[in-house]
C-alpha cells in the first residue's frame, strides 16, 4: 500500500509550499516522509498541480430537506442523468443529485471531505443514513441548535454551563460536528408565523434575543472546546439592507475573542451582504463587510457564490423560504420540526438579466476579492442554494482571472454592471490562494488536523490537476484552469487512486467525522431530560440517539470540555 506522487508542482498552504516541485509519499492511507521508490506504485504528476483533497465547509447533500427537495423536483432529475458503469451506480439530479452521484461528482473535481451544514437533531438518523450512502468522501454534519428549546431555556436563565453539558450530550446523540445557528430566534418565532428583524428583537415565549443566543452558543462552543467555531446563518438573510445585521452579528461576539483565533463563522455571506432599502435600490454591501473582516481576526466566512441557472433553495430558515415563495410564486415546501427548527424549499432560477441576481453574483466575488487574507473566506455556493457545487471550477476561474469575470459581466443586466465593484478590482488569486480557499483554509477553520495539507501524518487525500503553472497564464487562459479543475487528473482518497482523468475508477466509502465531547460531569439523562422528552418530542428518548453502529465508518474526534 505504498504510493509515490512524482514531480508535481505542490500547493500546500498549511505547510507554506507554493508550487515547488516535490514528490509526495504515501503509506497505508497516510502521507509519510518517504517510501521504497522501487516498490511503490507511481503517479506521474509531471507538469501538473498537486493539492490536498478539496474540503467543503458548507454543502447541503443529505438529510430530510435535501430528500424533500428531491421529491419536490422530478424535473431536476430528468435533465441530468448518470448511467451506471462497471464501477459506479446510476443516479440523477442537477441541483439535488442522488447520494452516489453526489460522491462521484465531488471526487471527479478532486474533493475528498465535505460538511453537511443543517441537520435537525430529530432527523439525524436519516441524515446519517444518506451520508453513509454517499461514497468517495469523508463527511460531517452540523446539528441545528440556535432555536432548540432546551438551548433557549438554558440561555434565557443564563445557565451557560448546563447548556454546554446539554450540547455535549447532543453532539453524541446526533453524531454532530459543529453548532449550527440559523436565523437565531426567527426560526422559533416562525413556528407561530412570526420572525425577528434584528439581533435585539425578543423571541416570543422565551425572554431571549438573537444576540443572547449567538453570544451564549459562542461561549458554549468555547467551553466545549469544539474544533470548529459556531456556524451562523444570520438574521434577515436575503433581505435588502441586511449587511448591517451581518456586521452586528460579527460585532456581538467581538469581546469573547481571545488572541487571533476565529470564534464565529458567517456562512454564505453573499446572502447577508445586501445594501439598499428594497429590491429596486439593492446594492452590494461587500465593501463594509470586507472592511470589517480585514480589521478583525475573530471571523471566517464562506462565499455562497451565485451561479446563473436553475437550482433548488433549501434552508432551515422557514420565514426566509416563505418570503422566497412569495417572490417567485413557485411550488414550495415549508416545515416545522417539532421543538427544534424549521425548514423550507423553493426551486429557483438565477438569471443574468435580473438586476438583483446579477448584483448577488457580483457580491460573492467582491467579498472573496476584497477580503485580503484568503484564510478568512472560503469558496462555496451554499450548494444548492446559490447554485450546484459542480460549478466550483467556474468560480475558481473567476477568482483567478479578471478576464473571466469581465467575460461574464458583459452578459449581465446593464444596471447591475454599472453598480458592480468588480471592474475596479484587479486582484487575481494565485494557485496558492486557490488551494487556501478550497481546502487548506476550510480544513483549518474546521479544526481538521489531518485534512487540507500534505505534511507527514496527514490523510493521503490528494488532488492532481492537469495544468502546468509554469506555462499556463491563468489570467488569460482561464478556460484551461476551469477544465483542469472540472476533471481531476487524479483523485487519491486515503492513498487509493479513485479517479483518473475525471473518471471514477474505484468506489470507496468515506468516514463520518463527529465530535466526542468529554465533559467533567456528564449530563444526567435519567432525570429531567428524559421526563421532558415526553413533553417536547413525539419520539421516545430511547429511539432518539444515533448509535455508533448507525455510522458505516465512525471517526470521532475527541474534544476536552471545561465543564
Ligand atoms: Zn446552507
Amino acid at each position: 500500500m505504498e504510493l509515490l506522487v512524482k514531480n508535481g508542482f505542490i500547493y500546500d498552504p498549511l505547510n507554506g509550499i507554493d508550487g515547488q516541485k516535490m514528490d509526495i509519499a504515501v503509506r497505508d492511507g497516510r502521507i509519510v516522509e518517504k517510501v521504497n521508490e522501487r516498490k511503490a506504485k507511481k503517479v506521474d504528476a509531471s507538469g501538473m498541480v498537486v493539492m490536498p483533497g478539496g474540503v467543503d465547509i458548507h454543502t447541503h447533500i443529505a438529510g430530510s430537506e435535501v430528500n424533500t427537495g428531491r421529491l419536490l423536483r422530478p424535473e431536476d432529475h430528468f435533465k441530468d442523468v448518470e448511467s451506471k458503469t462497471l464501477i459506479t451506480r446510476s443516479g440523477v439530479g442537477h441541483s439535488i443529485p442522488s447520494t452516489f452521484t453526489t460522491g462521484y461528482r465531488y471526487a471527479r473535481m478532486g474533493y475528498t471531505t465535505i460538511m453537511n451544514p443543517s441537520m435537525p437533531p430529530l432527523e439525524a438518523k436519516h441524515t446519517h443514513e444518506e451520508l453513509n450512502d454517499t461514497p468517495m468522501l469523508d463527511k460531517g454534519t452540523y446539528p441545528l441548535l440556535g432555536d432548540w428549546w432546551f438551548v433557549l431555556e438554558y440561555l434565557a436563565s443564563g445557565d451557560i454551563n448546563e447548556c454546554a453539558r446539554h450540547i455535549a450530550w447532543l453532539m453524541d446523540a446526533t453524531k454532530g460536528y459543529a453548532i449550527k445557528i440559523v436565523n437565531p430566534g426567527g426560526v422559533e418565532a416562525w413556528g407561530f408565523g412570526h420572525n425577528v428583524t434584528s439581533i435585539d428583537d425578543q423571541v416570543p415565549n422565551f425572554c431571549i434575543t438573537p444576540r443572547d443566543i449567538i453570544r451564549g452558543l459562542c461561549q458554549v462552543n468555547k467551553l466545549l472546546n469544539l474544533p470548529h467555531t459556531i456556524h451562523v446563518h444570520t438574521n434577515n438573510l436575503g433581505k435588502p439592507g441586511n449587511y448591517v445585521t451581518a456586521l452586528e452579528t460579527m460585532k456581538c461576539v467581538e469581546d469573547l475573542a481571545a488572541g487571533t483565533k476565529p470564534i464565529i463563522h458567517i456562512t454564505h455571506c453573499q446572502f447577508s451582504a445586501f445594501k439598499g432599502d428594497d429590491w429596486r435600490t439593492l446594492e452590494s454591501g461587500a465593501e463594509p463587510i470586507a472592511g470589517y473582516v480585514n480589521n478583525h481576526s475573530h471571523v471566517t466566512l464562506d462565499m455562497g457564490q451565485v451561479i446563473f441557472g436553475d437550482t433548488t433553495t433549501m434552508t432551515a430558515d422557514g420565514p426566509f423560504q416563505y418570503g422566497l415563495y412569495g417572490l417567485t410564486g413557485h411550488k414550495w415546501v415549508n416545515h416545522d420540526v417539532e421543538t427544534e427548527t424549521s425548514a423550507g424549499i423553493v426551486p429557483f432560477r438565477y438569471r443574468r438579466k435580473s438586476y438583483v441576481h446579477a448584483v448577488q453574483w457580483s457580491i460573492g466575488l467582491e467579498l472573496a476579492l476584497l477580503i485580503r487574507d484568503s484564510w478568512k473566506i472560503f469558496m462555496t455556493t451554499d450548494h444548492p442554494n446559490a447554485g450546484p457545487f459542480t460549478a466550483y471550477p467556474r468560480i475558481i476561474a473567476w477568482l483567478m482571472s479578471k478576464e473571466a469575470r469581465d467575460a461574464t459581466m458583459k452578459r449581465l443586466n446593464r444596471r447591475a454592471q454599472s453598480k458592480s465593484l468588480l471592474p475596479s478590482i484587479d486582484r487575481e488569486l494565485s494557485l496558492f490562494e486557490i488551494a487556501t480557499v478550497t481546502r487548506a483554509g476550510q480544513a483549518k477553520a474546521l479544526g481538521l488536523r489531518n485534512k487540507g495539507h500534505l505534511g507527514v501524518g496527514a490523510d493521503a487525500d490528494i488532488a492532481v490537476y492537469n495544468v502546468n503553472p509554469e506555462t499556463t497564464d491563468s489570467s488569460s487562459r482561464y478556460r484551461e484552469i476551469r477544465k483542469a479543475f472540472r476533471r481531476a487528473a487524479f483523485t487519491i482518497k486515503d492513498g487509493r487512486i479513485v479517479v483518473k482523468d475525471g473518471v471514477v475508477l474505484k468506489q470507496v466509502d468515506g468516514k463520518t467525522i463527529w465530535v466526542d465531547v468529554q465533559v467533567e460531569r456528564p449530563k444526567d439523562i435519567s432525570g429531567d431530560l428524559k421526563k421532558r422528552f415526553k413533553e417536547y418530542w413525539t419520539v421516545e428518548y430511547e429511539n432518539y440517539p444515533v448509535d455508533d453502529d448507525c455510522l458505516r465508518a465512525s471517526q470521532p474526534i475527541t474534544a476536552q470540555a471545561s465543564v
Side-chain angles (χ1 to χ4, degrees), residues 121-153:
L122 187 68
E123 283 152 10
K125 280 185 178 169
H126 174 175
T127 308
H128 283 293
E129 277 175 4
E130 282 195 36
L131 289 176
N132 284 342
D133 256 1
T134 307
M136 321 300 279
L137 301 165
D138 290 336
K139 48 246 161 180
T141 179
Y142 313 149
L144 288 151
L145 295 172
D147 290 83
W148 161 280
W149 280 14
F150 276 111
V151 166
L152 299 183
E153 286 174 8

mmCIF file of all heavy atoms in Angstrom, residues 121-153:
data_model
loop_
_atom_site.group_PDB
_atom_site.id
_atom_site.type_symbol
_atom_site.label_atom_id
_atom_site.label_comp_id
_atom_site.label_asym_id
_atom_site.label_seq_id
_atom_site.Cartn_x
_atom_site.Cartn_y
_atom_site.Cartn_z
ATOM 1 N N PRO A 121 -31.779 17.784 14.721
ATOM 2 C CA PRO A 121 -31.380 16.632 15.531
ATOM 3 C C PRO A 121 -32.374 15.470 15.428
ATOM 4 O O PRO A 121 -31.975 14.308 15.374
ATOM 5 C CB PRO A 121 -31.338 17.205 16.948
ATOM 6 C CG PRO A 121 -30.957 18.636 16.739
ATOM 7 C CD PRO A 121 -31.656 19.038 15.482
ATOM 8 N N LEU A 122 -33.663 15.803 15.352
ATOM 9 C CA LEU A 122 -34.688 14.760 15.259
ATOM 10 C C LEU A 122 -34.496 13.905 14.009
ATOM 11 O O LEU A 122 -34.908 12.747 13.976
ATOM 12 C CB LEU A 122 -36.073 15.425 15.234
ATOM 13 C CG LEU A 122 -37.294 14.524 15.306
ATOM 14 C CD1 LEU A 122 -37.378 13.862 16.676
ATOM 15 C CD2 LEU A 122 -38.568 15.319 15.056
ATOM 16 N N GLU A 123 -33.885 14.485 12.982
ATOM 17 C CA GLU A 123 -33.733 13.762 11.724
ATOM 18 C C GLU A 123 -32.291 13.333 11.468
ATOM 19 O O GLU A 123 -31.869 13.093 10.334
ATOM 20 C CB GLU A 123 -34.304 14.610 10.581
ATOM 21 C CG GLU A 123 -35.826 14.533 10.618
ATOM 22 C CD GLU A 123 -36.538 15.746 10.055
ATOM 23 O OE1 GLU A 123 -35.876 16.598 9.449
ATOM 24 O OE2 GLU A 123 -37.763 15.840 10.220
ATOM 25 N N ALA A 124 -31.551 13.216 12.578
ATOM 26 C CA ALA A 124 -30.137 12.850 12.465
ATOM 27 C C ALA A 124 -29.956 11.447 11.876
ATOM 28 O O ALA A 124 -29.047 11.209 11.084
ATOM 29 C CB ALA A 124 -29.462 12.931 13.826
ATOM 30 N N LYS A 125 -30.845 10.539 12.248
ATOM 31 C CA LYS A 125 -30.676 9.164 11.745
ATOM 32 C C LYS A 125 -30.781 9.133 10.227
ATOM 33 O O LYS A 125 -29.982 8.493 9.546
ATOM 34 C CB LYS A 125 -31.722 8.237 12.366
ATOM 35 C CG LYS A 125 -31.339 7.816 13.772
ATOM 36 C CD LYS A 125 -32.306 6.807 14.334
ATOM 37 C CE LYS A 125 -31.852 6.392 15.725
ATOM 38 N NZ LYS A 125 -32.863 5.616 16.433
ATOM 39 N N HIS A 126 -31.801 9.818 9.716
ATOM 40 C CA HIS A 126 -31.985 9.883 8.264
ATOM 41 C C HIS A 126 -30.749 10.499 7.605
ATOM 42 O O HIS A 126 -30.230 9.989 6.610
ATOM 43 C CB HIS A 126 -33.243 10.698 7.955
ATOM 44 C CG HIS A 126 -33.470 10.960 6.500
ATOM 45 N ND1 HIS A 126 -34.590 11.576 6.034
ATOM 46 C CD2 HIS A 126 -32.706 10.715 5.410
ATOM 47 C CE1 HIS A 126 -34.519 11.678 4.719
ATOM 48 N NE2 HIS A 126 -33.389 11.174 4.318
ATOM 49 N N THR A 127 -30.276 11.598 8.190
ATOM 50 C CA THR A 127 -29.123 12.289 7.617
ATOM 51 C C THR A 127 -27.923 11.348 7.538
ATOM 52 O O THR A 127 -27.247 11.263 6.509
ATOM 53 C CB THR A 127 -28.763 13.522 8.479
ATOM 54 O OG1 THR A 127 -29.942 14.308 8.648
ATOM 55 C CG2 THR A 127 -27.678 14.355 7.832
ATOM 56 N N HIS A 128 -27.676 10.619 8.616
ATOM 57 C CA HIS A 128 -26.519 9.720 8.619
ATOM 58 C C HIS A 128 -26.700 8.549 7.648
ATOM 59 O O HIS A 128 -25.730 8.069 7.062
ATOM 60 C CB HIS A 128 -26.219 9.236 10.029
ATOM 61 C CG HIS A 128 -25.529 10.280 10.856
ATOM 62 N ND1 HIS A 128 -24.249 10.718 10.581
ATOM 63 C CD2 HIS A 128 -25.951 11.016 11.916
ATOM 64 C CE1 HIS A 128 -23.904 11.660 11.447
ATOM 65 N NE2 HIS A 128 -24.926 11.856 12.265
ATOM 66 N N GLU A 129 -27.926 8.111 7.494
ATOM 67 C CA GLU A 129 -28.137 7.037 6.516
ATOM 68 C C GLU A 129 -27.755 7.503 5.115
ATOM 69 O O GLU A 129 -27.132 6.781 4.347
ATOM 70 C CB GLU A 129 -29.592 6.563 6.551
ATOM 71 C CG GLU A 129 -29.798 5.549 7.660
ATOM 72 C CD GLU A 129 -31.240 5.137 7.834
ATOM 73 O OE1 GLU A 129 -32.100 5.578 7.053
ATOM 74 O OE2 GLU A 129 -31.499 4.355 8.765
ATOM 75 N N GLU A 130 -28.143 8.740 4.789
ATOM 76 C CA GLU A 130 -27.773 9.253 3.467
ATOM 77 C C GLU A 130 -26.277 9.520 3.356
ATOM 78 O O GLU A 130 -25.678 9.302 2.301
ATOM 79 C CB GLU A 130 -28.563 10.525 3.148
ATOM 80 C CG GLU A 130 -29.980 10.213 2.721
ATOM 81 C CD GLU A 130 -30.644 11.412 2.072
ATOM 82 O OE1 GLU A 130 -29.972 12.172 1.370
ATOM 83 O OE2 GLU A 130 -31.850 11.584 2.301
ATOM 84 N N LEU A 131 -25.694 10.012 4.438
ATOM 85 C CA LEU A 131 -24.240 10.235 4.402
ATOM 86 C C LEU A 131 -23.505 8.906 4.241
ATOM 87 O O LEU A 131 -22.508 8.820 3.523
ATOM 88 C CB LEU A 131 -23.774 10.968 5.662
ATOM 89 C CG LEU A 131 -24.183 12.451 5.761
ATOM 90 C CD1 LEU A 131 -23.746 13.039 7.096
ATOM 91 C CD2 LEU A 131 -23.614 13.290 4.615
ATOM 92 N N ASN A 132 -24.012 7.859 4.899
ATOM 93 C CA ASN A 132 -23.426 6.522 4.712
ATOM 94 C C ASN A 132 -23.438 6.120 3.242
ATOM 95 O O ASN A 132 -22.549 5.426 2.762
ATOM 96 C CB ASN A 132 -24.238 5.471 5.479
ATOM 97 C CG ASN A 132 -23.970 5.496 6.966
ATOM 98 O OD1 ASN A 132 -22.971 6.034 7.423
ATOM 99 N ND2 ASN A 132 -24.890 4.908 7.730
ATOM 100 N N ASP A 133 -24.487 6.539 2.564
ATOM 101 C CA ASP A 133 -24.693 6.165 1.163
ATOM 102 C C ASP A 133 -23.960 7.069 0.181
ATOM 103 O O ASP A 133 -24.115 6.918 -1.018
ATOM 104 C CB ASP A 133 -26.195 6.256 0.842
ATOM 105 C CG ASP A 133 -26.826 4.892 0.786
ATOM 106 O OD1 ASP A 133 -26.108 3.909 1.013
ATOM 107 O OD2 ASP A 133 -28.041 4.817 0.512
ATOM 108 N N THR A 134 -23.248 8.063 0.705
ATOM 109 C CA THR A 134 -22.522 8.990 -0.169
ATOM 110 C C THR A 134 -21.059 8.564 -0.201
ATOM 111 O O THR A 134 -20.336 8.768 0.767
ATOM 112 C CB THR A 134 -22.646 10.438 0.357
ATOM 113 O OG1 THR A 134 -24.036 10.738 0.543
ATOM 114 C CG2 THR A 134 -22.047 11.433 -0.621
ATOM 115 N N PRO A 135 -20.641 7.920 -1.303
ATOM 116 C CA PRO A 135 -19.292 7.356 -1.319
ATOM 117 C C PRO A 135 -18.222 8.420 -1.597
ATOM 118 O O PRO A 135 -18.557 9.594 -1.828
ATOM 119 C CB PRO A 135 -19.366 6.362 -2.472
ATOM 120 C CG PRO A 135 -20.377 6.956 -3.406
ATOM 121 C CD PRO A 135 -21.352 7.703 -2.555
ATOM 122 N N MET A 136 -17.000 8.025 -1.587
ATOM 123 C CA MET A 136 -15.831 8.795 -2.027
ATOM 124 C C MET A 136 -15.395 9.895 -1.058
ATOM 125 O O MET A 136 -14.327 10.460 -1.222
ATOM 126 C CB MET A 136 -16.056 9.474 -3.409
ATOM 127 C CG MET A 136 -16.806 8.672 -4.443
ATOM 128 S SD MET A 136 -15.985 7.131 -4.857
ATOM 129 C CE MET A 136 -14.751 7.697 -6.005
ATOM 130 N N LEU A 137 -16.233 10.253 -0.089
ATOM 131 C CA LEU A 137 -15.981 11.444 0.728
ATOM 132 C C LEU A 137 -15.983 11.125 2.215
ATOM 133 O O LEU A 137 -16.789 10.320 2.679
ATOM 134 C CB LEU A 137 -17.093 12.471 0.492
ATOM 135 C CG LEU A 137 -17.305 12.972 -0.938
ATOM 136 C CD1 LEU A 137 -18.652 13.679 -1.037
ATOM 137 C CD2 LEU A 137 -16.177 13.916 -1.342
ATOM 138 N N ASP A 138 -15.103 11.811 2.971
ATOM 139 C CA ASP A 138 -15.283 11.875 4.414
ATOM 140 C C ASP A 138 -16.265 13.008 4.680
ATOM 141 O O ASP A 138 -16.304 13.986 3.936
ATOM 142 C CB ASP A 138 -13.948 12.175 5.110
ATOM 143 C CG ASP A 138 -13.001 10.987 5.013
ATOM 144 O OD1 ASP A 138 -13.497 9.852 4.848
ATOM 145 O OD2 ASP A 138 -11.779 11.194 5.080
ATOM 146 N N LYS A 139 -17.073 12.867 5.729
ATOM 147 C CA LYS A 139 -18.110 13.881 5.924
ATOM 148 C C LYS A 139 -18.444 14.085 7.389
ATOM 149 O O LYS A 139 -18.195 13.235 8.234
ATOM 150 C CB LYS A 139 -19.380 13.498 5.160
ATOM 151 C CG LYS A 139 -19.838 12.070 5.372
ATOM 152 C CD LYS A 139 -19.719 11.275 4.084
ATOM 153 C CE LYS A 139 -19.723 9.790 4.349
ATOM 154 N NZ LYS A 139 -19.603 9.006 3.110
ATOM 155 N N GLY A 140 -19.037 15.241 7.627
ATOM 156 C CA GLY A 140 -19.558 15.548 8.954
ATOM 157 C C GLY A 140 -20.846 16.314 8.767
ATOM 158 O O GLY A 140 -21.207 16.683 7.644
ATOM 159 N N THR A 141 -21.564 16.557 9.856
ATOM 160 C CA THR A 141 -22.830 17.272 9.731
ATOM 161 C C THR A 141 -23.074 18.094 10.993
ATOM 162 O O THR A 141 -22.667 17.699 12.085
ATOM 163 C CB THR A 141 -23.977 16.290 9.405
ATOM 164 O OG1 THR A 141 -25.203 17.002 9.316
ATOM 165 C CG2 THR A 141 -24.109 15.169 10.425
ATOM 166 N N TYR A 142 -23.697 19.278 10.800
ATOM 167 C CA TYR A 142 -23.884 20.191 11.931
ATOM 168 C C TYR A 142 -25.334 20.163 12.418
ATOM 169 O O TYR A 142 -26.247 20.521 11.659
ATOM 170 C CB TYR A 142 -23.594 21.640 11.528
ATOM 171 C CG TYR A 142 -22.337 21.903 10.743
ATOM 172 C CD1 TYR A 142 -22.304 22.953 9.822
ATOM 173 C CD2 TYR A 142 -21.186 21.149 10.916
ATOM 174 C CE1 TYR A 142 -21.155 23.240 9.095
ATOM 175 C CE2 TYR A 142 -20.024 21.428 10.184
ATOM 176 C CZ TYR A 142 -20.023 22.478 9.274
ATOM 177 O OH TYR A 142 -18.898 22.757 8.550
ATOM 178 N N PRO A 143 -25.583 19.793 13.669
ATOM 179 C CA PRO A 143 -26.959 19.882 14.184
ATOM 180 C C PRO A 143 -27.402 21.349 14.342
ATOM 181 O O PRO A 143 -26.604 22.212 14.718
ATOM 182 C CB PRO A 143 -26.874 19.190 15.543
ATOM 183 C CG PRO A 143 -25.433 19.185 15.907
ATOM 184 C CD PRO A 143 -24.650 19.212 14.637
ATOM 185 N N LEU A 144 -28.666 21.589 14.046
ATOM 186 C CA LEU A 144 -29.261 22.923 14.173
ATOM 187 C C LEU A 144 -29.615 23.164 15.639
ATOM 188 O O LEU A 144 -30.469 22.467 16.188
ATOM 189 C CB LEU A 144 -30.522 23.005 13.315
ATOM 190 C CG LEU A 144 -30.280 23.042 11.813
ATOM 191 C CD1 LEU A 144 -31.451 22.436 11.062
ATOM 192 C CD2 LEU A 144 -30.027 24.464 11.352
ATOM 193 N N LEU A 145 -28.989 24.156 16.266
ATOM 194 C CA LEU A 145 -29.183 24.327 17.701
ATOM 195 C C LEU A 145 -29.628 25.717 18.132
ATOM 196 O O LEU A 145 -29.937 25.935 19.302
ATOM 197 C CB LEU A 145 -27.871 23.969 18.425
ATOM 198 C CG LEU A 145 -27.480 22.492 18.282
ATOM 199 C CD1 LEU A 145 -26.092 22.251 18.840
ATOM 200 C CD2 LEU A 145 -28.479 21.611 18.990
ATOM 201 N N GLY A 146 -29.670 26.655 17.209
ATOM 202 C CA GLY A 146 -29.960 28.043 17.589
ATOM 203 C C GLY A 146 -31.388 28.284 18.036
ATOM 204 O O GLY A 146 -31.687 29.321 18.637
ATOM 205 N N ASP A 147 -32.295 27.365 17.729
ATOM 206 C CA ASP A 147 -33.697 27.568 18.109
ATOM 207 C C ASP A 147 -34.266 26.369 18.851
ATOM 208 O O ASP A 147 -35.476 26.189 18.956
ATOM 209 C CB ASP A 147 -34.528 27.869 16.857
ATOM 210 C CG ASP A 147 -34.185 29.230 16.294
ATOM 211 O OD1 ASP A 147 -33.188 29.322 15.552
ATOM 212 O OD2 ASP A 147 -34.860 30.199 16.625
ATOM 213 N N TRP A 148 -33.379 25.578 19.362
ATOM 214 C CA TRP A 148 -33.743 24.363 20.079
ATOM 215 C C TRP A 148 -34.226 24.745 21.470
ATOM 216 O O TRP A 148 -33.575 25.513 22.180
ATOM 217 C CB TRP A 148 -32.473 23.524 20.069
ATOM 218 C CG TRP A 148 -32.289 22.429 21.012
ATOM 219 C CD1 TRP A 148 -31.903 22.514 22.304
ATOM 220 C CD2 TRP A 148 -32.422 21.052 20.706
ATOM 221 N NE1 TRP A 148 -31.791 21.267 22.834
ATOM 222 C CE2 TRP A 148 -32.088 20.352 21.884
ATOM 223 C CE3 TRP A 148 -32.793 20.331 19.565
ATOM 224 C CZ2 TRP A 148 -32.110 18.971 21.941
ATOM 225 C CZ3 TRP A 148 -32.807 18.967 19.635
ATOM 226 C CH2 TRP A 148 -32.472 18.296 20.807
ATOM 227 N N TRP A 149 -35.361 24.269 21.892
ATOM 228 C CA TRP A 149 -35.982 24.758 23.135
ATOM 229 C C TRP A 149 -35.098 24.659 24.368
ATOM 230 O O TRP A 149 -35.046 25.563 25.175
ATOM 231 C CB TRP A 149 -37.311 24.018 23.383
ATOM 232 C CG TRP A 149 -38.435 24.566 22.573
ATOM 233 C CD1 TRP A 149 -38.315 25.416 21.508
ATOM 234 C CD2 TRP A 149 -39.831 24.346 22.755
ATOM 235 N NE1 TRP A 149 -39.549 25.710 21.003
ATOM 236 C CE2 TRP A 149 -40.504 25.064 21.749
ATOM 237 C CE3 TRP A 149 -40.564 23.587 23.670
ATOM 238 C CZ2 TRP A 149 -41.881 25.062 21.630
ATOM 239 C CZ3 TRP A 149 -41.947 23.577 23.540
ATOM 240 C CH2 TRP A 149 -42.598 24.318 22.532
ATOM 241 N N PHE A 150 -34.428 23.512 24.522
ATOM 242 C CA PHE A 150 -33.548 23.381 25.691
ATOM 243 C C PHE A 150 -32.514 24.502 25.710
ATOM 244 O O PHE A 150 -32.246 25.100 26.739
ATOM 245 C CB PHE A 150 -32.817 22.033 25.661
ATOM 246 C CG PHE A 150 -33.616 20.902 26.230
ATOM 247 C CD1 PHE A 150 -34.090 19.892 25.419
ATOM 248 C CD2 PHE A 150 -33.870 20.848 27.596
ATOM 249 C CE1 PHE A 150 -34.832 18.847 25.953
ATOM 250 C CE2 PHE A 150 -34.597 19.797 28.131
ATOM 251 C CZ PHE A 150 -35.083 18.789 27.307
ATOM 252 N N VAL A 151 -31.929 24.757 24.543
ATOM 253 C CA VAL A 151 -30.899 25.790 24.453
ATOM 254 C C VAL A 151 -31.479 27.149 24.825
ATOM 255 O O VAL A 151 -30.902 27.898 25.617
ATOM 256 C CB VAL A 151 -30.291 25.805 23.023
ATOM 257 C CG1 VAL A 151 -29.464 27.067 22.788
ATOM 258 C CG2 VAL A 151 -29.449 24.559 22.795
ATOM 259 N N LEU A 152 -32.648 27.454 24.279
ATOM 260 C CA LEU A 152 -33.272 28.751 24.569
ATOM 261 C C LEU A 152 -33.562 28.884 26.063
ATOM 262 O O LEU A 152 -33.352 29.937 26.660
ATOM 263 C CB LEU A 152 -34.558 28.915 23.753
ATOM 264 C CG LEU A 152 -34.390 28.892 22.224
ATOM 265 C CD1 LEU A 152 -35.739 29.129 21.533
ATOM 266 C CD2 LEU A 152 -33.382 29.916 21.741
ATOM 267 N N GLU A 153 -34.026 27.818 26.670
ATOM 268 C CA GLU A 153 -34.342 27.864 28.103
ATOM 269 C C GLU A 153 -33.084 28.057 28.955
ATOM 270 O O GLU A 153 -33.049 28.896 29.843
ATOM 271 C CB GLU A 153 -35.049 26.576 28.524
ATOM 272 C CG GLU A 153 -36.491 26.508 28.038
ATOM 273 C CD GLU A 153 -37.163 25.167 28.323
ATOM 274 O OE1 GLU A 153 -36.567 24.328 29.033
ATOM 275 O OE2 GLU A 153 -38.274 24.968 27.831
#
